[in-house]
Amino acid sequence: MTRTKFLSATALSLGVLAASLSPAMAEQKTDFKLAWSIYAGWMPWGYLDSSGIMDKWAEKYGITVDIVQINDYVESINQYTAGGFDGVSATNMDTLSIPSGGGVDTTALIVGDYSDGNDAIISKKATSIEELKDTKVNLVELSVSHYLLARALDKAGLAEKDLAGVVNTSDADMIAAFATPEVETVVTWNPLVSEILDTNPDANKLFDSSQIPGEILDLMVVNTETLKDNPDFGKAVVGAWYEVMSKMAAGDEEALTAMAEAAGTDLEGYKAQLAATAMFYDPAKAVEQAASAEMPETMTTVANFLFDKGILGVDAPSADFVGVEYPDGSVTGDEANVKFRFDTTYMQMAADGAL
Amino acid sequence: MRLLNRHPTRPTGILLAALPFVAVLIAYWIGSEIRLAANPQDKLLPAPETIMNTAGRLFTEPNKRTGEILLWADTFASLRRLAFGVGIGALISLTVGVGIGLLPYVRRGLSSFVAVLSMVPPLALLPILFIVFGLGETSKIVLIVIGITPFLIRDLSQRVLDIPHEEIVKAQTLGASTWVIALRVVLPQILPRLIAAIRLSLGAAWLFLIAAEAVAAEVGLGYRIFLVRRYLAMDIILTYVIWITLLAFLIDFALKTLSRRAFPWLGGGL
């Protein structure tokens, strides 16, 4: 083999290797993959998979839907953004910043719930948000916790610069962190919130997400093109989801116990977490939330927060750089760059019993 | 001529050395082109010029709120932690290592303990370190020290044991005390070994530094990577990774040069 031949062969094989990293292209297909991670409002995804309800609905539409649990929440969204999955469970804020900000056109297929106390600010010394002035706060930076802190400070007439700083702390180490003397205040989510409040008698809850209802939405988002080319995928997933929702609404002990065990708690513990989660058991209620007049306002607040923290990317020219479309067709942000859509078509079908 | 006897000429040698780097760059560039063609805003494999632009900004633009340039602040904080961690580890291992190698009483007392200690995975101790040393600088430095010291001690004590017994006997017949032997016979032979061992454990030291910064931090190279990972800012991550690699390479090179200058009798090594 001459040197040139060898070189071109090497370049070719490397090119093939690189091509295998190419993003998922939308097309007619029959096999789909969804990713989800542990959170009170997302436990039904695990149950959908283990109980066979998902398979039943997928079979009805002649497709397969693989539901994969990912231990790291951010990694699950990154995997979806990279094209490894057709859908992922995520909050409205993380959807806007990661896939939509990264140019992956994404549709909120299911509005599952909103955090109604699941996210909280807990302090050892301070008794009000005002007292956080000039102290340090430990949280997972740039997460929903950070957003909750920003909203709480805003409501109290403060800003993040009035604090002595925020310390990025992994959620895995949050409980241990709260036990160390130098940590005074943490912002985190359930089940960590209840664990910290139960084990620390001196812990005060200063603020929680029930004070900003409907702002932290938990969604199942899917690739817009995949959904457009494969409406059966949307129908099967939504149909299966609301079958489990009706079981949960009816208090099905077997289903709830399975979800509780998967969440690492017992039935009572899981019910307590659900109490701080405003689940939309009824698809009509989810449609109502997605189409509500407050949605554009919420998403604009979220976009401003993301831009302010530089999360929309260093190149993002303004907070309006990603467009968000609502069920009535209206858009906030850049109309030429709509990458996040709230689509109630499939949830409406579920509400009408048309699946 | 047999293949194993054929040596590349100098220009061919340079070309061969550059080839893997160029191949990786081309593979990245092709992959990036493919992804960007499908989605111009793709964050996973940003175009090389995007990375260059981001890198330029990271190295020069001050942060809006604090006014300092984040990359330099991160670099300074991380290098400080690394220097303290490796420095303390080196001092402990030099003392304990020479002790174990030279003095039978210390060897009996500590050698098995260190051997067992070196088997404890340091990252598994992280939650305990946080409770004992807090979330601040101390626990990050302690993690590096715990991570590299047992290895250094074991390596150094073995090197001391490897010193030919004749040398020790000779020094004794010339009237040297234990202290003088440690200082004049053992130390000059062990210092270059210490530097070589530190060079080998630098990779591990970086690993522990970044792991500690990923758990809780306000500043640092590892902290920034784990922070921007939340929004898949691969342009920033790649800039930091290349920067860390460069720093690690420079530290390694500096130690190698120091070793060659200070201990010329050992030759090049590594």
Side-chain angles (χ1 to χ4, degrees):
Chain A
M1 210 189 246
T2 64
R3 186 180 295 157
T4 38
K5 258 191 185 167
F6 175 71
L7 278 178
S8 51
T10 313
L12 190 70
S13 48
L14 285 168
V16 171
L17 187 78
S20 62
L21 274 169
S22 64
M25 292 286 178
E27 62 206 13
Q28 287 276 336
K29 55 180 194 171
T30 55
D31 301 316
F32 301 90
K33 277 169 82 183
L34 298 178
W36 71 285
S37 48
I38 297 245
Y39 169 71
W42 291 329
M43 297 318 296
W45 290 111
Y47 181 73
L48 272 165
D49 190 37
S50 61
S51 64
I53 294 177
M54 186 69 249
D55 290 342
K56 190 184 82 187
W57 280 83
E59 217 168 279
K60 181 176 170 187
Y61 288 96
I63 58 172
T64 68
V65 179
D66 194 10
I67 299 179
V68 183
Q69 187 195 331
I70 310 248
N71 276 330
D72 185 314
Y73 167 62
V74 174
E75 195 50 41
S76 72
I77 305 179
N78 286 351
Q79 287 286 330
Y80 160 77
T81 308
F85 288 93
D86 300 296
V88 67
S89 57
T91 65
N92 52 334
M93 175 183 140
D94 294 313
T95 305
L96 185 61
S97 67
I98 309 173
S100 300
V104 176
D105 198 329
T106 298
T107 297
L109 181 66
I110 295 172
V111 179
D113 66 274
Y114 65 82
S115 173
D116 197 18
N118 262 328
D119 299 81
I121 305 176
I122 305 170
S123 183
K124 283 180 202 162
K125 293 201 184 118
T127 52
S128 71
I129 294 293
E130 284 79 6
E131 285 174 39
L132 292 180
K133 208 161 185 286
D134 299 320
T135 63
K136 287 194 178 187
V137 177
N138 291 62
L139 47 74
V140 178
E141 245 180 281
L142 310 182
S143 70
V144 164
S145 301
H146 205 163
Y147 176 76
L148 183 79
L149 177 69
R151 293 286 288 131
L153 290 171
D154 192 39
K155 281 184 180 248
L158 296 170
E160 201 183 305
K161 62 174 185 293
D162 296 319
L163 304 176
V166 294
V167 183
N168 186 43
T169 307
S170 157
D171 53 322
D173 295 290
M174 200 60 84
I175 292 172
F178 197 78
T180 64
E182 80 230 50
V183 174
E184 289 180 16
T185 308
V186 298
V187 189
T188 188
W189 55 82
N190 259 329
L192 306 176
V193 169
S194 46
E195 178 67 30
I196 290 174
L197 288 173
D198 288 349
T199 49
N200 295 278
D202 56 343
N204 312 313
K205 188 156 80 171
L206 303 183
F207 190 89
D208 70 36
S209 53
S210 66
Q211 285 160 269
I212 50 164
E215 288 194 31
I216 301 173
L217 291 168
D218 301 305
L219 315 168
M220 170 50 72
V221 299
V222 296
N223 187 295
T224 302
E225 278 177 59
T226 307
L227 183 64
K228 204 171 73 187
D229 295 345
N230 305 279
D232 282 349
F233 165 54
K235 288 180 193 167
V237 171
V238 173
W241 173 262
Y242 284 107
E243 183 176 330
V244 174
M245 285 302 110
S246 61
K247 273 180 189 268
M248 288 174 79
D252 186 321
E253 294 260 319
E254 181 244 314
L256 287 171
T257 308
M259 291 180 213
E261 276 170 13
T265 176
D266 55 11
L267 190 58
E268 287 312 306
Y270 186 55
K271 279 184 174 164
Q273 289 180 28
L274 281 179
T277 317
M279 293 294 294
F280 294 116
Y281 295 120
D282 177 0
K285 285 274 188 294
V287 171
E288 205 176 289
Q289 173 71 34
S292 72
E294 292 85 47
M295 278 301 286
E297 205 179 304
T298 298
M299 290 311 293
T300 309
T301 314
V302 170
N304 281 328
F305 168 79
L306 295 175
F307 178 69
D308 197 39
K309 298 280 172 281
I311 307 177
L312 284 176
V314 263
D315 295 332
S318 74
D320 305 334
F321 130 90
V322 180
V324 184
E325 191 186 76
Y326 303 94
D328 61 359
S330 63
V331 171
T332 57
D334 186 355
E335 290 193 23
N337 186 33
V338 174
K339 293 294 178 198
F340 189 5
R341 299 161 204 271
F342 284 94
D343 183 352
T344 51
T345 317
Y346 295 90
M347 291 190 290
Q348 189 62 54
M349 283 183 193
D352 298 341
L355 290 172
Chain B
M1 211 203 305
R2 287 183 186 84
L3 193 58
L4 65 99
N5 288 324
R6 292 171 68 166
H7 291 274
T9 57
R10 195 169 160 76
T12 322
I14 293 171
L15 187 78
L16 283 176
L19 196 64
F21 292 101
V22 175
V24 168
L25 283 179
I26 291 178
Y28 179 87
W29 180 73
I30 294 176
S32 161
E33 282 287 300
I34 293 172
R35 286 194 69 96
L36 287 172
N39 167 16
Q41 282 164 17
D42 183 60
K43 284 180 170 180
L44 195 71
L45 301 179
E49 56 265 31
T50 313
I51 301 176
M52 294 297 286
N53 288 340
T54 305
R57 228 183 335 241
L58 287 173
F59 275 99
T60 53
E61 267 180 26
N63 176 261
K64 284 182 205 114
R65 214 181 65 206
T66 55
E68 58 187 356
I69 298 174
L70 291 181
L71 190 134
W72 293 110
D74 288 337
T75 307
F76 181 70
S78 286
L79 287 183
R80 204 173 141 255
R81 289 166 187 152
L82 196 71
F84 270 107
V86 174
I88 294 171
L91 276 181
I92 297 177
S93 57
L94 189 66
T95 337
V96 181
V98 170
I100 290 178
L102 202 61
L103 308 172
Y105 269 94
V106 180
R107 183 152 62 236
R108 275 269 174 244
L110 283 181
S111 137
S112 336
F113 177 68
V114 172
V116 171
L117 202 66
S118 71
M119 297 300 154
V120 179
L123 286 179
L125 295 176
L126 214 49
I128 303 172
L129 292 186
F130 282 143
I131 307 268
V132 178
F133 298 102
L135 281 175
E137 294 299 292
T138 321
S139 60
K140 296 184 185 68
I141 292 170
V142 169
L143 180 69
I144 300 177
V145 174
I146 292 184
I148 63 169
T149 309
F151 162 78
L152 288 176
I153 293 179
R154 291 185 80 185
D155 188 57
L156 283 185
S157 49
Q158 187 57 48
R159 300 292 185 186
V160 176
L161 283 170
D162 287 346
I163 293 175
H165 195 60
E166 293 81 350
E167 281 182 29
I168 311 279
V169 174
K170 181 85 168 209
Q172 289 182 58
T173 55
L174 291 171
S177 66
T178 302
W179 179 243
V180 170
I181 290 175
L183 232 47
R184 302 295 297 275
V185 180
V186 173
L187 208 58
Q189 302 196 53
I190 227 61
L191 278 178
R193 298 295 185 189
L194 176 67
I195 292 182
I198 287 176
R199 284 176 61 199
L200 286 178
S201 54
L202 267 179
W206 275 101
L207 175 72
F208 293 124
L209 172 74
I210 287 173
E213 288 181 342
V215 172
E218 291 163 88
V219 67
L221 296 165
Y223 155 79
R224 194 74 54 196
I225 288 178
F226 276 85
L227 184 63
V228 303
R229 171 176 163 264
R230 272 203 80 87
Y231 55 99
L232 211 65
M234 285 303 287
D235 47 350
I236 301 180
I237 294 179
L238 287 172
T239 305
Y240 269 74
V241 169
I242 295 168
W243 178 236
I244 289 175
T245 312
L246 186 71
L247 286 175
F249 179 79
L250 287 177
I251 295 172
D252 187 65
F253 185 75
L255 285 172
K256 187 176 163 183
T257 314
L258 172 74
S259 177
R260 209 172 33 212
R261 292 269 168 79
F263 316 105
W265 60 86
L266 204 80
L270 281 170

